[in-house]
């Protein structure tokens, strides 16, 4: 079974009308053979889910989710709500959630387990900032993130998880991660997964790259043996750019 996937994270962008037009345009310009996931603002989940429900290979992701089923958590969305709405994926632990909302790997791990409980596939984000990369501690740092959040899952549970590696230092900084740097980290993560859960699960785990994927670099990135696709930010907001990235996979 292919590990390949392309996911777009729209972040806090697009109105409902704009989002419907964006998703419709991408669908019209694309003929994917791998899963394509739209990570959309909460207000658009139902609209985009309705749009993709009649399409092959297109899916919707929530951009976040609370770790308990229900309660007095104003403004939050729960796993059972997403599951009933037919949402297949949820992005968890994004670097912006960590940076701006103080999310820890322990908390993200709770969210991951809750998503799996309700049949929603988590796209678990991990990655390092520039000071950690420059100190040479990037593999240890990202490995610790992975182990803290995910390594108390059972093998069966872990098999439901998609990993997204985000080199935070290469996003909006003018610095670029090379395909070789991306491959090195992806291979490291896959080796950690193999050591914990076995070679078969490691070989089947989708590991996406989330460091400013663009049409110009997508093919070279996706050609790396352990880079299974991308979690795409800005380029996912442009029909032609995202369609070209889908084509590159």
């Amino acid at each position: 079974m292919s590990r390949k996937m392309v996911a777009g994270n729209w972040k806090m962008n697009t109105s409902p009308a704009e989002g419907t037009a964006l998703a419709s345009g991408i669908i019209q310009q694309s003929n994917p053979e791998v899963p394509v996931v739209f990570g959309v603002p909460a207000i658009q989940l139902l609209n985009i889910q309705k749009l993709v429900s009649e399409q092959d290979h297109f899916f919707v992701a929530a951009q976040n989710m609370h770790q308990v089923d229900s309660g007095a958590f104003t403004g939050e969305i729960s796993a059972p709500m997403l599951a009933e709405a037919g949402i297949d994926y949820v992005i968890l632990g994004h670097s912006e959630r960590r940076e701006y909302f103080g999310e820890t790997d322990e908390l993200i791990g709770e969210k991951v387990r809750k998503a799996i409980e309700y049949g929603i596939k988590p796209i678990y984000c991990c990655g390092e900032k520039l000071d950690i990369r420059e100190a040479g501690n990037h593999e240890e740092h990202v490995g610790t993130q992975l182990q803290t959040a995910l390594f108390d899952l059972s093998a069966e549970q872990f098999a439901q998880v998609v990993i997204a590696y985000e080199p935070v230092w290469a996003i909006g900084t003018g610095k670029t991660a090379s395909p070789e740097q991306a491959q090195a980290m992806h291979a490291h993560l896959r080796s950690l997964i193999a050591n914990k859960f076995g070679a078969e699960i490691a070989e089947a785990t989708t590991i996406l790259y989330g460091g400013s994927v663009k049409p110009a670099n997508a093919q070279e990135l996706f050609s790396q043996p352990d880079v299974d696709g991308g979690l795409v930010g800005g380029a996912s907001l442009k029909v032609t750019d995202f369609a070209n990235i889908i084509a590159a996979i």
Side-chain angles (χ1 to χ4, degrees), residues 157-223:
Q157 288 172 319
F158 186 86
Q160 303 304 309
V161 179
V162 174
I163 308 295
Y165 166 60
E166 303 179 281
V168 184
W169 54 274
I171 301 171
T173 62
K175 296 180 182 290
T176 304
S178 68
E180 293 75 21
Q181 287 173 315
Q183 165 59 23
M185 181 62 83
H186 283 230
H188 174 63
L189 294 174
R190 203 176 302 281
S191 71
L192 293 175
I193 295 165
N195 289 338
K196 174 64 177 177
F197 296 107
E200 186 176 348
I201 286 179
E203 188 59 32
T205 298
T206 296
I207 307 180
L208 306 178
Y209 176 73
S212 298
V213 179
K214 302 176 180 68
N217 64 15
Q219 194 157 13
E220 189 176 10
L221 283 165
F222 297 165
S223 69

Side-chain angles (χ1 to χ4, degrees), residues 2 12 18 29-30 32 35 48 62 65 97 101 104 108 121 134 152 169 177 192 196 201 204 211 213 224 232-233 236:
S2 174
M12 196 175 71
E18 290 168 343
Q29 288 196 22
S30 306
I48 305 302
M65 187 198 82
R97 297 296 311 177
F101 301 96
T104 64
I108 299 160
K121 292 182 173 65
E134 290 183 336
D152 62 351
W169 54 274
L192 293 175
K196 174 64 177 177
I201 286 179
V213 179
Q224 302 299 312
V232 184
S236 72

Side-chain angles (χ1 to χ4, degrees), residues 6-54:
V6 177
N9 179 13
W10 296 2
K11 306 188 180 183
M12 196 175 71
N13 294 295
T14 70
S15 69
E18 290 168 343
T20 298
L22 175 60
S24 298
I26 291 166
I27 289 168
Q28 289 168 9
Q29 288 196 22
S30 306
N31 185 27
E33 297 179 1
V34 304
V36 174
V37 181
F38 296 123
V40 307
I43 197 169
Q44 300 193 49
L45 285 166
L46 295 176
N47 284 353
I48 305 302
Q49 167 57 20
K50 184 177 180 181
L51 190 67
V52 305
S53 63
E54 299 174 358

